[in-house]
Amino acid sequence: MRRMDVIANNIANASTTAFKRERVVFQDYLFEMKGEGPKDLRQVQMVLDYGVVPDMKNGELNPTNNPLDVALDKEGFMVVENDQGERLYTRNGKFQVSVAGELVTQTGERILGTNDQPIRINPEDVNIVISDDGTIRSDLGEIGQIQMIQFDNYQGLERRGDSLYFTDRPERPAVGLRLVQGALEGSNVNPIQQVTNMISVLRSYQSMERSLNDYSEMRDGAVDRLSRVQA
């Protein structure tokens, strides 16, 4: 059921900008349980839902020719800040200029520069050029530099909606990560593959359900026969 939920969410976001498909990580859990005798122990094995991991493989880059649209060419994130001052991360580079003159996401989160401050763009700044290292320039000169970071481990990223992530894992400055101006990254979800995975999960679920029903019928039959013998 957990896998089915994740696959369904992947399919629902097949057209979401910069969406990263997810997969569930399971872990075997072994422990000992007392048996019938005081010294009898038996090993019990269970499966734990360990977490969800995003697949950071790049989606296709789609040209938009909008100077404020940017896409990342490798794994990593841009840093944003919401109204509560919370530090968040995104790969959705569809930016705009707010009424306050700040570079923001479509939902209003401020894009942070390498100095951890919002990037301000004045009305006089025209012919915006964003270099592959995130440096923003206009006819009036350099405006700022978009902060890009990477993680050593992407497990544990918490989705916050609107293509935003949160984590308390340590970040590091991006290495070998480039920005592409005038383009947006597409979702890396392959709908056909995800539907195939959904069918596989459904069949596994149905097989397990049949096994449980068979076991229940065997148990009921044994109880019925035992009650007749005792009678």
Side-chain angles (χ1 to χ4, degrees):
M1 291 178 67
R2 174 66 164 155
R3 287 184 63 196
M4 184 67 81
D5 289 342
V6 171
I7 292 171
N9 185 63
N10 287 341
I11 295 174
N13 286 279
S15 59
T16 300
T17 301
F19 180 84
K20 298 302 176 188
R21 64 175 175 260
E22 296 178 321
R23 62 183 178 89
V24 182
V25 177
F26 296 104
Q27 183 180 45
D28 287 337
Y29 180 64
L30 299 173
F31 64 96
E32 291 183 336
M33 179 178 289
K34 290 184 179 181
E36 297 179 359
K39 295 184 179 181
D40 292 338
L41 295 175
R42 61 187 180 95
Q43 280 196 337
V44 178
Q45 182 179 16
M46 299 179 65
V47 177
L48 295 180
D49 180 357
Y50 190 71
V52 177
V53 179
D55 180 353
M56 297 304 296
K57 181 179 178 181
N58 263 52
E60 183 179 354
L61 298 188
N62 304 308
T64 65
N65 297 320
N66 185 336
L68 293 183
D69 288 346
V70 294
L72 297 171
D73 72 337
K74 292 181 180 178
E75 66 179 38
F77 290 95
M78 293 169 284
V79 183
V80 304
E81 180 184 67
N82 61 17
D83 290 337
Q84 291 72 44
E86 192 173 30
R87 189 178 181 87
L88 302 171
Y89 307 93
T90 189
R91 288 182 63 89
N92 187 344
K94 190 167 185 60
F95 298 152
Q96 58 190 3
V97 180
S98 70
V99 176
E102 296 174 332
L103 189 64
V104 298
T105 66
Q106 284 185 297
T107 49
E109 288 79 22
R110 295 179 290 273
I111 312 303
L112 295 185
T114 51
N115 59 355
D116 280 336
Q117 297 298 317
I119 297 173
R120 299 190 63 85
I121 297 180
N122 298 316
E124 296 80 13
D125 288 315
V126 294
N127 298 325
I128 299 294
V129 175
I130 303 178
S131 304
D132 58 8
D133 65 351
T135 301
I136 305 175
R137 296 181 176 86
S138 73
D139 287 349
L140 299 180
E142 185 172 324
I143 297 172
Q145 185 176 8
I146 297 173
Q147 184 175 174
M148 297 182 289
I149 59 92
Q150 292 172 325
F151 297 101
D152 292 323
N153 187 343
Y154 291 88
Q155 184 174 328
L157 289 173
E158 177 186 336
R159 286 192 183 276
R160 289 292 179 86
D162 300 317
S163 301
L164 299 172
Y165 292 86
F166 170 81
T167 183
D168 55 4
R169 288 183 178 274
E171 62 186 51
R172 58 177 170 80
V175 177
L177 180 61
R178 298 186 310 112
L179 277 179
V180 179
Q181 185 182 21
L184 292 174
E185 181 188 6
S187 169
N188 69 355
V189 173
N190 183 329
I192 296 177
Q193 183 184 55
Q194 292 299 307
V195 170
T196 301
N197 292 342
M198 178 176 285
I199 293 172
S200 176
V201 171
L202 179 60
R203 287 175 177 171
S204 297
Y205 187 87
Q206 291 172 336
S207 176
M208 178 61 67
E209 186 179 34
R210 285 193 296 267
S211 297
L212 291 174
N213 289 336
D214 291 343
Y215 174 77
S216 179
E217 291 176 1
M218 290 173 58
R219 183 188 59 187
D220 293 344
V223 171
D224 181 62
R225 287 192 297 271
L226 181 60
S227 63
R228 280 184 284 164
V229 170
Q230 290 178 338

